[in-house]
Amino acid sequence: MPSQRDIRRRINASKNIRQITRAMQFVAASKLRRAQESTLAARPYSDLIDEILADLASVLGADEHPLLSRREEGKRLIILVTSDRGLAGPLNTNAVRFVSKEIIEHVGDLEMVTVGRKGRDAMRRARVPIIAHFAGFGDRPSVDDILPLARLISDEYEAGTYNDVDIVFTRFVSTLVQRADMVQLLPIRPSSDTHGVPGSQFIFEPAPEVVLNELLPRYLVTRLYQTALESTASFFSSQMVAMKSATENASELIDDLTLSYNKARQANITSELIEIASGAQAR
């Protein structure tokens, strides 16, 4: 049985851990509220620009803009968005498993762009070719953080390097639910929504190519910015839940150790009393 000193040390260590995890839980909760509000506020704009471009893609040909062209040959590009930091439960692991399953089930020539250190390290261990890496978007993603990634994607696709561009990220569903998801960025698919605007009702001013030249780059930035917001909200939500669970586990461990300490202390007292009584009888 461990000594009382060892048990006291473990109790003190567990209390220190509980203090740290509780502080991290409160910090994550405060940041989650801001991230959640930003994510929900940006969704309507992102969904609307998706609908508009999908409707445009259904009536315009591939010659109107390179980002609308569909190619039979070429590599596939997957963008994996994770976090730079850990202590967020299964968040990053689920995203890595999702993209690994996608790679295994759809064998082909592909390359990856990683956002966040956790995804980069996992793909390096799996020996998946990575053409570029970007640091995580931080606690408050901004459009300026997205521009280098958007420029890389559009330049490589227009150059004909890739025939398909997908992005894997963690979608924020609720505080307790975050789901790994994949969205196709390029080429833009025609809209299957019957409530969309019929193609014959589009009037382009001054010309379709001018409209697309302004709209398509903004579409890429908007989609990437939305995934950054979703991933950030998911990270803080998962971290808050993980730290709450760690705090509760530390409290349970402290209770168990305290009980063991009291038993050991009681056993020592009983042993000392027995020795005193035995010594008195021997006299």
Side-chain angles (χ1 to χ4, degrees), residues 27-41:
V27 171
S30 63
K31 293 182 178 180
L32 170 62
R33 181 178 180 181
R34 181 178 60 247
Q36 181 177 350
E37 291 175 352
S38 300
T39 301
L40 297 179

Side-chain angles (χ1 to χ4, degrees), residues 60-100:
L60 295 176
D63 55 344
E64 299 290 348
H65 197 279
L67 296 182
L68 294 177
S69 62
R70 294 171 175 79
R71 310 182 183 97
E72 298 297 331
E73 298 180 356
K75 299 179 181 179
R76 181 186 185 188
L77 179 65
I78 298 180
I79 305 163
L80 175 60
V81 181
T82 57
S83 66
D84 284 331
R85 295 170 289 173
L87 299 178
L91 180 78
N92 293 315
T93 303
N94 289 340
V96 170
R97 287 179 178 174
F98 185 93
V99 74
S100 299

Side-chain angles (χ1 to χ4, degrees), residues 140-151:
R140 295 186 177 183
S142 65
V143 175
D144 293 336
D145 299 330
I146 307 298
L147 292 178
L149 177 58
R151 189 176 299 111

